[in-house]
Amino acid sequence: MSSNQVKPPAHGFSTTTARAGAADHDEGQPELGTIGELGAAAIDLLIGGRELYSVFVRTLYYTFNGRREKGVVARQMYEIGNKSLFFLCTTMGFIGMILVYQAGLQAKRVVPDFTMLGAIYLELLVRDFAASIGALMLATRVGAGIAAEIGSMVVTEQVDALRMCAADPIDFLIVPRFLASMLMTLCLIVFAGTVAFVSGAITANIAYEVPYQTFFSMQMIDVGDVSIGLAKCLAYGAAIPVVSGYCGLSTFGGSEGVGWATTRAVVNTSLAIIILNFFISGAGFLIFPG
């Protein structure tokens, strides 16, 4: 096989990108037309959803029944948590300042009363903003890193070597990241959310002269807000390594394929976070209507 030919995936994973890349080399094939392309895209989407579901189920199975090398989860916790702390806190700090400043501007135009600004901001932060925005930030750093690392192992045939040793790549590569990501996503988002709230309090004090004792109000927070926020943290922490790991395992085609896998990991993980946010928020409003 020449160097510019695309090597088909030998690990059982197929993707839309893979089909699109392979299609560029099928110049002799007749054109499908608009309906045919839509049908092919729908079939690829179903196949991808089935394979992603398979990765998720096997991840859950090996979480309780797999073999675990000593210290591997701790190393992943360091990679995910410690190396993301500065990036996440800096991002959330600036977002907190922007949100409070813009909210204050709108409140000033309608009712120039800032006594509830901190309480409402804290409720939105706990219920949605901290988890969703923080997870989207983590998807760009952690998700891309997981897909690039596993994708590189695929194209260098290290994953095939694992299979030859009767080891499941999901057990050895995805499960440690799955456990570490769930725990560290929760810790990082709680810490970064605190940074966002403090930065918002400083902004409100400087821009609108809101006293700190007025801004630091928890009268709007209830059990439902905390429960929904924690559920989102755990769900996002589980989704990032599963989706990114699936993208990494479906890599083919050398270094170019690793780049595609990284891009798909960021896009698909972000999409998964938004979809999970919709369903968890909907369930939260039904369970905790107040």
Side-chain angles (χ1 to χ4, degrees), residues 75-95:
R75 286 197 296 273
Q76 292 301 324
M77 289 173 62
Y78 173 79
E79 293 290 331
I80 294 173
N82 190 62
K83 293 188 175 180
S84 303
L85 184 62
F86 178 77
F87 167 66
L88 196 60
C89 289
T90 303
T91 305
M92 293 294 290
F94 279 102
I95 288 176

Side-chain angles (χ1 to χ4, degrees), residues 174-196:
I174 295 183
V175 170
R177 292 167 174 81
F178 176 78
L179 295 173
S181 177
M182 288 186 68
L183 180 59
M184 295 315 300
T185 298
L186 176 63
C187 297
L188 284 171
I189 287 178
V190 170
F191 192 83
T194 304
V195 172

Side-chain angles (χ1 to χ4, degrees), residues 20-37:
D24 294 339
H25 298 263
D26 295 334
E27 297 178 354
Q29 296 295 326
E31 293 186 2
L32 295 176
T34 303
I35 297 178
E37 290 178 355

Side-chain angles (χ1 to χ4, degrees), residues 89-110:
C89 289
T90 303
T91 305
M92 293 294 290
F94 279 102
I95 288 176
M97 289 189 285
I98 294 170
L99 287 176
V100 170
Y101 184 75
Q102 291 295 334
L105 280 180
Q106 299 304 319
K108 193 174 182 179
R109 292 172 181 172
V110 182

Side-chain angles (χ1 to χ4, degrees), residues 25-190:
H25 298 263
D26 295 334
E27 297 178 354
Q29 296 295 326
E31 293 186 2
L32 295 176
T34 303
I35 297 178
E37 290 178 355
L38 289 175
I43 292 173
D44 280 335
L45 185 62
L46 291 175
I47 294 174
R50 184 193 64 185
E51 293 173 349
L52 180 59
Y53 175 74
S54 172
V55 171
F56 175 65
V57 171
R58 289 161 66 190
T59 300
L60 289 181
Y61 172 79
Y62 285 119
T63 297
F64 300 100
N65 301 286
R67 292 172 290 180
R68 202 77 58 242
E69 181 184 348
K70 188 176 181 180
V72 65
V73 176
R75 286 197 296 273
Q76 292 301 324
M77 289 173 62
Y78 173 79
E79 293 290 331
I80 294 173
N82 190 62
K83 293 188 175 180
S84 303
L85 184 62
F86 178 77
F87 167 66
L88 196 60
C89 289
T90 303
T91 305
M92 293 294 290
F94 279 102
I95 288 176
M97 289 189 285
I98 294 170
L99 287 176
V100 170
Y101 184 75
Q102 291 295 334
L105 280 180
Q106 299 304 319
K108 193 174 182 179
R109 292 172 181 172
V110 182
V111 283
D113 182 6
F114 301 110
T115 55
M116 294 299 293
L117 182 61
I120 296 174
Y121 174 58
L122 182 59
E123 184 189 27
L124 292 175
L125 205 60
V126 171
R127 194 178 185 101
D128 189 28
F129 283 173
S132 300
I133 297 176
L136 288 173
M137 296 299 105
L138 284 175
T140 61
R141 205 201 77 78
V142 177
I146 292 174
E149 185 177 359
I150 296 179
S152 299
M153 295 179 69
V154 170
V155 298
T156 55
E157 300 182 350
Q158 295 180 58
V159 173
D160 292 335
L162 277 176
R163 290 193 176 93
M164 291 178 66
C165 297
D168 194 316
I170 292 178
D171 185 19
F172 279 80
L173 299 178
I174 295 183
V175 170
R177 292 167 174 81
F178 176 78
L179 295 173
S181 177
M182 288 186 68
L183 180 59
M184 295 315 300
T185 298
L186 176 63
C187 297
L188 284 171
I189 287 178
V190 170

